[in-house]
Amino acid sequence: MATILAVHAHPDDIEHLAAGALAVLAAKGHAIRIATLTAGECGSAETDLSETARIRKAEAARAAGLIGADYCCADLPDLGVFNDDASRKAATELIRWAKAEIVLAASPADYHPDHEAASQLVRDACFASSVPNYRTGPSAALEAIPHLYFMDPIGGRDREGGRIVADFGVDIAESFAMKRQMLACHVSQAEWVARQHGISDHLASMEAWSRRRGRDFGVSLGEGFRQYRHEPYPKTPLLQDLLGEALVMAAS
Ligand SMILES: [Zn+2]
């Protein structure tokens, strides 16, 4: 059984972009960990920073618990994620805490500055995670650099509107009800997403994206992923193999 860490900037990002795949992997008996670099404490116009952080971490932990996953937050500031020394150490500590063999990270190109910074931080933290002299906290250095994959950006596009092409997809038709239930744990975000993003129903928005991504792979509901293969990161298709029959490739 493998250990898989999904790490993104804010609570609810993973539920939008990768929870279907995580539910598939959890059902196969793999160990799932979910982490966010921030508590998303700016995501409310109703409650102050500390109360919003408390609410959103509880929502994330509840969502993770639905698939038996542990949740951890690095408590970097919302709208304040930068690629700096302290944040790289915090991201590396998360990967070591998770004992991750596979890491699912934010897309390098996305709409939100925290998402793009989180992507770089986690990419580089995967490299740092197996360097014993790079000290980050209580967790031990890993034996090896984990397999690294990027999730889709929100809406599947970069800032210029270009479509991000995934290497492969995951058929989430059977796990979609769980994905929806996980996102529904983020009760505080229904109102916030309507205010900040003009999206009246964040569950419907997630479903529309899952259907859109599914079409790229000839399935009703899907999620896309890309594997990061640069030296010295592992290049073997570990996640693809674990997905089994849920792995889908784009129709050529
Ligand atoms: Zn986010």
Side-chain angles (χ1 to χ4, degrees):
M1 290 296 118
T3 301
I4 298 127
L5 168 69
V7 51
H8 214 295
H10 313 107
D12 84 355
D13 290 324
I14 289 164
E15 287 78 354
H16 273 281
L17 298 167
L22 295 177
V24 166
L25 294 162
K28 291 177 182 293
H30 299 293
I32 310 297
R33 320 251 190 262
I34 291 177
T36 58
L37 293 183
T38 83
E41 68 274 14
C42 291
S44 174
E46 309 299 318
T47 49
D48 67 15
L49 289 175
S50 63
E51 178 66 0
T52 308
R54 189 191 64 73
I55 290 168
R56 297 201 65 186
K57 286 198 272 192
E59 290 171 345
R62 203 174 310 129
L66 292 177
I67 55 168
D70 294 323
Y71 170 71
C72 187
C73 177
D75 290 319
L76 299 182
D78 194 1
L79 274 168
V81 180
F82 294 96
N83 190 5
D84 59 24
D85 184 50
S87 304
R88 187 181 294 156
K89 284 197 164 74
T92 306
E93 178 62 22
L94 276 183
I95 292 166
R96 291 172 168 176
W97 159 79
K99 299 184 170 62
E101 298 165 80
I102 293 173
V103 173
L104 310 183
S107 173
D110 205 335
Y111 86 96
H112 195 294
D114 287 351
H115 290 199
E116 296 185 331
S119 185
Q120 286 190 4
L121 282 167
V122 173
R123 178 199 66 198
D124 298 334
C126 284
F127 176 84
S129 66
S130 66
V131 177
N133 281 346
Y134 187 67
R135 303 285 166 78
T136 60
S139 304
L142 300 186
E143 289 295 315
I145 299 171
H147 286 65
L148 173 61
Y149 296 82
F150 295 125
M151 303 176 210
D152 285 323
I154 297 286
R157 293 177 184 274
D158 64 24
R159 288 174 185 270
E160 281 70 49
R163 284 192 195 285
I164 299 295
V165 177
D167 289 349
F168 61 91
V170 181
D171 181 351
I172 61 164
E174 286 189 12
S175 65
F176 185 75
M178 176 58 78
K179 175 175 181 170
R180 195 176 189 286
Q181 221 181 316
M182 289 172 72
L183 182 59
C185 289
H186 295 271
V187 175
S188 71
Q189 291 310 286
E191 197 175 330
W192 173 252
V193 169
R195 182 185 189 276
Q196 181 73 4
H197 296 260
I199 294 172
S200 59
D201 182 344
H202 71 143
L203 292 166
S205 167
M206 180 278 285
E207 179 166 348
W209 166 246
S210 300
R211 290 197 181 285
R212 168 69 194 80
R213 202 40 143 176
R215 280 205 300 278
D216 293 334
F217 300 100
V219 295
S220 61
L221 293 152
E223 290 169 350
F225 295 90
R226 285 162 285 161
Q227 185 169 7
Y228 183 77
R229 294 186 174 89
H230 200 57
E231 291 297 331
Y233 292 64
K235 299 176 185 63
T236 53
L238 181 58
L239 175 62
Q240 296 90 318
D241 289 346
L242 295 182
L243 288 164
E245 73 290 344
L247 176 72
V248 284
M249 308 307 283
S252 54

